[in-house]
Amino acid sequence: MQEAGIQSSTQNSGAEAIIRAEKIEKYYAQPSQNRVQVISPTDLKIVPGEILALLGPSGSGKSTMLRMLTGLSRPSAGQVFWHEKPIADAEINVSIVFQSFALFPWLTVLENVEAPLQARGVAPEERHTRSMRMLDTVGLDGFESAYPKELSGGMKQRVGFARALVVEPEVLFMDEPFSALDVLTAENLRSELLELWANRTMPTKAVFLVTHNIEEAVLLADRIIVLGRNPGHIRTDFRVQLAQPRDRKSEPFTQLVDYIYKVLTKPDVAPAEAPDQQPRVRDQRQMKYQMLPHARPGGVAGLLELLLDKGGRDDIYRMADDLAFEIDDLLPIVDAAQLLGFLKIEEGDAAITETGTQFANSEILRQKELFRDAALQNVLLLRQIRRALEAKSDHTVPEEFFLDLLDEQFSEEEGRRQMETAITWGRYAELFDFDAARRRFVMPDALEEGVAADGGNV
């Protein structure tokens, strides 16, 4: 899969696109005649019959992309087409569900839902009938006279859905519509949305969902696009082949979640193809080196201690907010702990494992032992270095040998960064020492013996 500024969405290429973006980009001019590029030239299609999810880190241009596709913002270059007509010249029929509910507090529930129909000049009797029918569809029958201040967050968002759907849009756009809700309410609304979509109760042909929740995207979407940033660009675009309803605990589901997580957290590495989403037996002969997260053992220990204080489980994004961390700074530490088997990612939360609990509660020497066991079990590169040292008669191996192996999978720069992380982990776990002068791995005892035999000079 190509990693580039321009990437076509080839899925459903046989279907006529409702909305088609051709090399659209967004940038802002600067007094110095330079410009700030927000989104690089991008091709994208929204076709009938699918829920399309757009994922990406903060600053990747997700909401900017949504505004350009809906006609709310003009691209700096390129063109957006509505049924192959330039969107500026076409009569488009889209609706948007916002994260913040965006209801008129002085209007009743019914009046809020009627508002877009009134703006379109629909007669009072017809807009009342259509609005009441839509309120019934989203489960708000009997609340038409209530005001927004009388409703819970979930009910307010139902009003938002009803208001968006009452105009019978061809494409329903949703900008993180569940992120302001509690977990249970959000889960209920997702299930109801899928039920409306599956039963064709929704008067819409396609759904475009902007989200930062990986599991939400895999749960709902027929197709997922993951954006990179600086500037925004498509990193991967693939179909989700899992049948509905989807099981969060199934292996294909968790494989997809892991794949997207790695695409989001490894911006310098070209993403692999999406997994085939079919259970398969792992062939160890085809094992590749894992991407080692660039995190220190001390950071892993600190993260696990914080999780224990929170009962052993916490939402990753909430944890980052509590620590005043950027999420991109915390994710490598989370990824490292997960790779070592010290925590698991479950439904968007980091949950500490039994081994992780033991590690966090142990003294430093015991922590080193547990880290060493976890590293040898889970990290192929560290296991290979240790075995090579044990096999050599002088118990030393040149660093270049392993850099050559890494070169088959990583760029030269990333290969060296991987080696630096491996050295840090291996030294901490006392798997080996590293002679920086000679760029050689050595067994801990071998380095001490070499110093003694050389009179202190290695």
Side-chain angles (χ1 to χ4, degrees):
M1 185 166 296
Q2 69 182 32
E3 170 81 32
I6 303 175
Q7 180 169 343
S8 281
S9 304
T10 56
Q11 288 79 7
N12 278 349
S13 57
E16 178 187 345
I18 302 174
I19 297 176
R20 181 173 65 86
E22 183 177 291
K23 296 180 177 57
I24 60 170
E25 55 183 310
K26 194 71 174 178
Y27 53 79
Y28 298 100
Q30 298 293 303
S32 62
Q33 296 186 344
N34 294 324
R35 64 189 189 188
V36 176
Q37 188 88 17
V38 179
I39 296 178
S40 60
T42 301
D43 294 346
L44 187 148
K45 288 182 180 180
I46 299 175
V47 300
E50 73 177 16
I51 298 176
L52 169 58
L54 186 69
L55 279 163
S58 298
S60 59
K62 300 187 297 294
S63 295
T64 300
M65 184 75 74
L66 180 147
R67 290 195 294 272
M68 289 193 292
L69 294 174
T70 56
L72 292 178
S73 175
R74 295 187 63 178
S76 303
Q79 184 70 276
V80 178
F81 297 92
W82 173 267
H83 290 289
E84 297 306 316
K85 294 181 180 179
I87 196 168
D89 303 327
E91 293 186 7
I92 68 172
N93 184 18
V94 302
S95 289
I96 305 175
V97 177
F98 298 98
Q99 173 184 349
S100 59
F101 312 135
L103 303 179
F104 300 118
W106 59 88
L107 299 181
T108 65
V109 165
L110 178 60
E111 290 168 340
N112 265 284
V113 176
E114 287 184 336
L117 294 177
Q118 185 176 3
R120 295 188 178 198
V122 177
E125 184 176 347
E126 181 183 349
R127 67 175 184 252
H128 178 85
T129 301
R130 287 171 59 176
S131 298
M132 289 296 294
R133 184 170 63 245
M134 192 52 60
L135 285 172
D136 184 49
T137 299
V138 300
L140 284 177
D141 186 27
F143 288 89
E144 58 271 10
S145 298
Y147 286 89
K149 65 181 180 180
E150 303 174 63
L151 306 178
S152 66
M155 295 174 73
K156 289 177 183 177
Q157 196 60 297
R158 289 173 193 268
V159 178
F161 275 110
R163 184 179 59 186
L165 293 173
V166 75
V167 297
E168 301 182 356
E170 276 197 68
V171 183
L172 175 65
F173 286 85
M174 298 190 291
D175 193 358
E176 301 195 16
F178 309 110
S179 61
L181 305 174
D182 64 85
V183 174
L184 183 59
T185 301
E187 190 65 22
N188 289 337
L189 279 179
R190 289 188 199 103
S191 298
E192 290 174 11
L193 174 67
L194 277 177
E195 185 177 351
L196 292 174
W197 175 256
N199 295 336
R200 301 184 183 277
T201 311
M202 292 173 59
T204 186
K205 295 181 180 178
V207 176
F208 186 94
L209 169 67
V210 170
T211 180
H212 67 268
N213 187 319
I214 298 175
E215 287 201 354
E216 179 175 280
V218 178
L219 192 70
L220 297 177
D222 302 301
R223 185 171 130 230
I224 295 175
I225 294 176
V226 181
L227 294 182
R229 63 183 180 186
N230 298 325
H233 61 283
I234 295 177
R235 299 207 68 215
T236 184
D237 178 353
F238 63 92
R239 291 200 64 77
V240 181
Q241 301 164 359
L242 307 178
Q244 292 284 10
R246 293 171 184 164
D247 180 5
R248 294 176 185 266
K249 298 182 179 180
S250 70
E251 183 180 356
F253 190 99
T254 57
Q255 283 178 343
L256 264 188
V257 171
D258 289 344
Y259 166 73
I260 297 169
Y261 178 83
K262 289 175 182 176
V263 173
L264 285 170
T265 56
K266 314 298 180 191
D268 299 327
V269 179
E273 294 286 343
D276 61 14
Q277 302 163 44
Q278 299 297 325
R280 62 176 183 269
V281 178
R282 187 183 184 192
D283 186 350
Q284 291 194 344
R285 294 171 299 177
Q286 299 177 355
M287 284 179 63
K288 298 291 186 181
Y289 292 106
Q290 305 103 321
M291 167 67 75
L292 298 184
H294 302 301
R296 294 181 177 274
V300 173
L303 172 68
L304 296 176
E305 289 179 15
L306 288 170
L307 276 176
L308 279 183
D309 285 344
K310 295 178 178 291
R313 185 187 188 102
D314 197 13
D315 179 86
I316 298 171
Y317 288 87
R318 182 166 56 243
M319 187 184 302
D321 287 340
D322 291 345
L323 296 172
F325 275 22
E326 291 291 335
I327 187 65
D328 293 343
D329 296 330
L330 183 63
L331 287 178
I333 304 175
V334 173
D335 210 14
Q338 185 179 18
L339 174 62
L340 292 165
F342 292 153
L343 64 78
K344 294 181 179 179
I345 303 300
E346 298 176 345
E347 300 181 3
D349 290 353
I352 196 168
T353 63
E354 183 178 345
T355 307
T357 300
Q358 188 179 359
F359 178 85
N361 285 328
S362 297
E363 298 294 332
I364 182 65
L365 292 179
R366 179 56 179 157
Q367 283 188 336
K368 286 176 174 285
E369 292 176 0
L370 292 169
F371 195 98
R372 178 166 59 248
D373 293 343
L376 288 173
Q377 180 178 349
N378 297 294
V379 182
L380 176 61
L381 178 58
L382 293 177
R383 188 161 63 245
Q384 286 182 338
I385 294 172
R386 177 69 182 198
R387 287 181 179 176
L389 291 172
E390 292 172 346
K392 282 284 296 299
S393 59
D394 63 353
H395 303 301
T396 72
V397 182
E399 176 193 34
E400 194 65 31
F401 174 73
F402 294 102
L403 285 173
D404 286 345
L405 295 176
L406 292 175
D407 187 54
E408 298 179 4
Q409 186 171 332
F410 303 104
S411 67
E412 181 179 354
E413 180 183 355
E414 182 55 40
R416 292 197 175 278
R417 294 186 70 204
Q418 288 291 300
M419 188 59 68
E420 289 172 6
T421 299
I423 291 170
T424 299
W425 290 17
R427 279 175 157 172
Y428 172 82
E430 298 181 1
L431 287 169
F432 49 74
D433 277 325
F434 184 71
D435 182 351
R438 295 190 300 159
R439 308 303 299 178
R440 295 181 72 88
F441 293 98
V442 298
M443 292 287 277
D445 292 342
L447 182 59
E448 293 174 7
E449 291 168 4
V451 171
D454 241 5
N457 298 311
V458 177

